Amino acid sequence: MIETIPVLVIGGGSTGTGIARDLALRGVPCLLIEKRDINSGASGGNHGLLHSGARYVASDMEAAVECRDEGDILRRVAPQCIDDCGGLFVAVPGDDEGYIADFPGLCDRSGIGCKALDPQEARELEPVLAESLVAAYRVQDASIDPFMLSLDNMAHAMELGARVRRNTRVTGFDIENGCIKRVRCCDDTSEREIIIEPELVVNASGAWAGLVAAMAGAQIEILYSMGELLVTQDRLATRVINRLRPASDSDILVPGGAVSILGTTSVRIDHPDLCRPSIAEADAIIDDAKAMVPLLETTRYIRAYSGVRPLVKSGNAGDDRSVSRGFALIDHAHDGVENFVTITGGKLTTYRLMAEKTCDLVCAKLGVSTPCSTQTEPLPASEKAMWTEPGRAPRTWVDKKSSTDLILCECEMVSAGVIASIVDNMGEMRGRSLLKAVGQRSRVGKGPCQGGLCGLRITGHLYDSGRVTDHHGLHELRRFVERRWRGFAPVLWGASLRQAELQDALYCGMLDLELEDESAS
């Protein structure tokens, strides 16, 4: 099977989907391939912070200004993805007094809004803050739904003619006369080889960018910095709460809809596929962060997850936190491959700018003069992304008042009608893993049971509606449960441990899911 396309984009994270939309708005056809699903990499493994830029005022003023400007743009063009909740930077006894004193001046120099608060005033805004607070500043941080953002970008790109293939991974490049002539891929759904003949290839595969580039003979030195995050059962604070100190572990609590997300860490790993949350890191995060928010020591956590920051190495990088969080746009013409471009590094907040700069380079190579319009063109809210919004599914169910639309996910009140809507709207984005894909596009599995009960109900519904057959549904359920277990194993104590034991009894006693999956072999 051979496909031809002007531009092939590798990677379905925020940057890859942003590139697909930017190119589509400029009238450049493209195909995006993703080896798993949209936001399966770092774009789905972060805390969903829309930076004000204040985090970087002391270490990287350029990054601080980029975050400030991009945050303002995203608030204008993609408001449906943003909870513009505001943020606080707070200090406790023992924090660096010099850093605290310099902070407002550094914000002012970067043009970042920063207002000093009396510690008592800050505690009235966020009662969970420690009574020992010694300093507080209000900034313009916000939270952003990275799944809605990427799905909306891809949906708009598809409306404009772009195409997408999930579960499609690159296996090699055929290079002739200094150009990539063919990209060899494997469709993991059908296990068929696909050959794509592009005019130009964009490598937006995030933490895997160095590995993909190496297939074309190009070298990028990337450090894999793993960060772990913990999800609380309830939303603990209205605003983003940052520790007022140089960037370190356990220094931020971000609201994420009905929950809060605490993080993060920075641990060097040898390969992005080795990214796993651990008990040791979860314990360390809580021990450190409780000085800022004491409730974090006793609150219930429902899951841990981790993501990999791809840091492009330059010079002697002894400490990963000292490596720039800026992005790297690499024209591999310098490596002897004329039609190959890599974009990596950066932050979720600056994904749009990364896409713009990449598309500027791509269009220059293709002779396209249409300028970027994503800084002013509103990002339409799409049906493909609408069910990631916390509270939408229960509101819709109550408004419809349908006695036949059964609730399948009780934690987030997701009904059978919503599941059907998600599957029907997936279109080309429907790939191999239907249950996991439903989880990526909704609140399913995000509540206290973490999929323990709703995974079983939804699998039964998919069988009843004929959307899965034979062993396919059970195989997906097994993979779904394994993935969720990886997330909540590091935070199992108290009620969470009892719940996990119940889930273990249900899945092993009823379905023998602990046994080897012979259907997958």
Side-chain angles (χ1 to χ4, degrees):
M1 181 177 183
I2 299 177
E3 295 186 40
T4 58
I5 191 75
V7 179
L8 174 67
V9 180
I10 302 170
S14 56
T15 303
T17 57
I19 289 169
R21 176 177 181 250
D22 192 323
L23 289 173
L25 284 166
R26 301 189 203 209
V28 179
C30 74
L31 167 65
L32 183 148
I33 60 171
E34 162 57 48
K35 68 175 181 177
R36 290 185 289 181
D37 197 357
I38 301 298
N39 270 18
S40 289
S43 295
N46 59 74
H47 37 39
L49 173 65
L50 188 66
H51 280 283
S52 62
R55 170 53 68 199
Y56 301 109
V57 292
S59 59
D60 189 341
M61 186 176 290
E62 183 180 354
V65 172
E66 280 181 358
C67 287
R68 178 201 68 193
D69 293 345
E70 288 300 305
D72 288 344
I73 291 172
L74 292 180
R75 285 181 175 87
R76 289 197 306 271
V77 303
Q80 75 275 16
C81 302
I82 295 169
D83 176 0
D84 206 2
C85 55
L88 298 175
F89 273 75
V90 300
V92 297
D95 287 339
D96 186 335
E97 294 182 3
Y99 189 87
I100 297 169
D102 292 342
F103 184 73
L106 291 168
C107 285
D108 186 55
R109 237 178 286 169
S110 299
I112 292 170
C114 167
K115 179 186 178 185
L117 299 176
D118 180 88
Q120 182 57 34
E121 189 179 359
R123 292 198 70 249
E124 289 172 0
L125 292 174
E126 297 296 351
V128 295
L129 288 169
E131 291 185 3
S132 59
L133 223 60
V134 296
Y137 293 93
R138 176 186 280 175
V139 298
Q140 289 184 307
D141 285 335
S143 67
I144 186 165
D145 181 340
F147 292 95
M148 181 180 288
L149 183 71
S150 295
L151 289 167
D152 278 347
N153 268 296
M154 199 64 237
H156 194 207
M158 292 168 73
E159 283 179 19
L160 298 170
R163 293 186 294 127
V164 61
R165 275 184 169 275
R166 292 173 55 222
N167 308 124
T168 302
R169 57 187 165 85
V170 175
T171 58
F173 297 105
D174 292 346
I175 298 174
E176 297 178 4
N177 302 318
C179 289
I180 294 174
K181 180 68 174 176
R182 287 173 292 277
V183 181
R184 298 186 177 276
C185 307
C186 179
D187 181 336
D188 284 333
T189 303
S190 62
E191 299 185 350
R192 288 185 307 168
E193 183 183 53
I194 299 169
I195 297 174
I196 301 168
E197 295 183 340
E199 291 181 41
L200 197 141
V201 178
V202 177
N203 174 16
S205 54
W208 290 263
L211 301 172
V212 172
M215 292 186 202
Q219 298 298 317
I220 309 172
E221 283 200 76
I222 292 182
L223 302 176
Y224 306 118
S225 174
M226 181 181 71
E228 181 164 328
L229 303 106
L230 309 180
V231 184
T232 62
Q233 177 169 316
D234 304 303
R235 181 166 173 161
L236 304 182
T238 303
R239 297 162 184 79
V240 178
I241 298 177
N242 303 267
R243 186 83 170 264
L244 182 51
R245 63 182 181 183
S248 181
D249 290 351
S250 327
D251 57 6
I252 188 164
L253 183 69
V254 182
V259 301
S260 288
I261 300 169
L262 173 65
T264 179
T265 54
S266 180
V267 177
R268 182 86 61 86
I269 57 177
D270 295 330
H271 193 287
D273 290 342
L274 299 176
C275 181
R276 298 282 188 282
S278 71
I279 296 171
E281 282 192 75
D283 288 346
I285 291 171
I286 296 168
D287 282 345
D288 195 7
K290 67 185 182 186
M292 179 174 71
V293 177
L295 180 61
L296 292 170
E297 186 175 20
T298 56
T299 196
R300 182 182 177 189
Y301 296 89
I302 57 175
R303 190 165 66 92
Y305 63 97
S306 54
V308 181
R309 308 175 190 91
L311 306 176
V312 179
K313 185 178 179 181
S314 60
N316 181 20
D319 177 2
D320 288 358
R321 291 202 181 275
S322 67
V323 181
S324 172
R325 264 42 176 176
F327 61 85
L329 175 60
I330 303 167
D331 183 348
H332 291 293
H334 302 296
D335 299 308
V337 188
E338 292 289 337
N339 62 340
F340 188 36
V341 169
T342 288
I343 178 74
T344 190
K347 297 170 285 295
L348 178 64
T349 302
T350 57
Y351 91 93
R352 191 212 62 83
L353 179 64
M354 295 167 67
E356 176 182 341
K357 296 300 183 186
T358 306
C359 294
D360 284 348
L361 177 57
V362 168
C363 288
K365 284 177 172 283
L366 295 176
V368 175
S369 58
T370 308
C372 176
S373 59
T374 57
Q375 68 272 47
T376 55
E377 183 74 25
L379 175 64
S382 74
E383 292 185 349
K384 294 186 188 319
M386 62 189 290
W387 301 112
T388 69
E389 178 188 337
R392 178 185 280 270
R395 287 199 306 273
T396 302
W397 186 78
V398 170
D399 290 344
K400 285 187 174 178
K401 297 177 181 174
S402 172
S403 59
T404 59
D405 190 13
L406 297 177
I407 293 291
L408 299 181
C409 170
E410 291 185 352
C411 298
E412 298 285 342
M413 291 190 69
V414 181
S415 72
V418 169
I419 301 299
S421 170
I422 292 168
V423 175
D424 291 343
N425 277 309
M426 287 177 67
E428 281 189 9
M429 296 173 77
R430 180 172 176 172
R432 181 174 58 171
S433 55
L434 191 54
L435 181 57
K436 186 171 183 293
V438 167
Q440 295 276 85
R441 289 156 180 78
S442 70
R443 301 290 303 170
V444 166
K446 309 292 195 305
C449 93
Q450 286 292 289
L453 300 176
C454 60
L456 188 59
R457 292 195 191 109
I458 292 170
T459 298
H461 173 72
L462 294 174
Y463 271 116
D464 289 345
S465 58
R467 297 179 190 277
V468 295
T469 56
D470 299 326
H471 292 284
H472 184 198
L474 278 177
H475 176 63
E476 285 201 3
L477 180 61
R478 184 192 307 272
R479 297 287 302 274
F480 181 78
V481 171
E482 287 174 350
R483 190 83 181 176
R484 304 313 285 182
W485 176 264
R486 184 191 300 175
F488 61 68
V491 293
L492 283 185
W493 57 81
S496 299
L497 179 57
R498 292 192 291 275
Q499 181 179 300
E501 289 174 340
L502 172 62
Q503 177 177 324
D504 185 61
L506 285 172
Y507 282 97
C508 297
M510 293 172 58
L511 302 172
D512 291 338
L513 286 192
E514 81 281 16
L515 302 179
E516 187 176 348
D517 185 8
E518 296 179 355
S519 66
S521 60

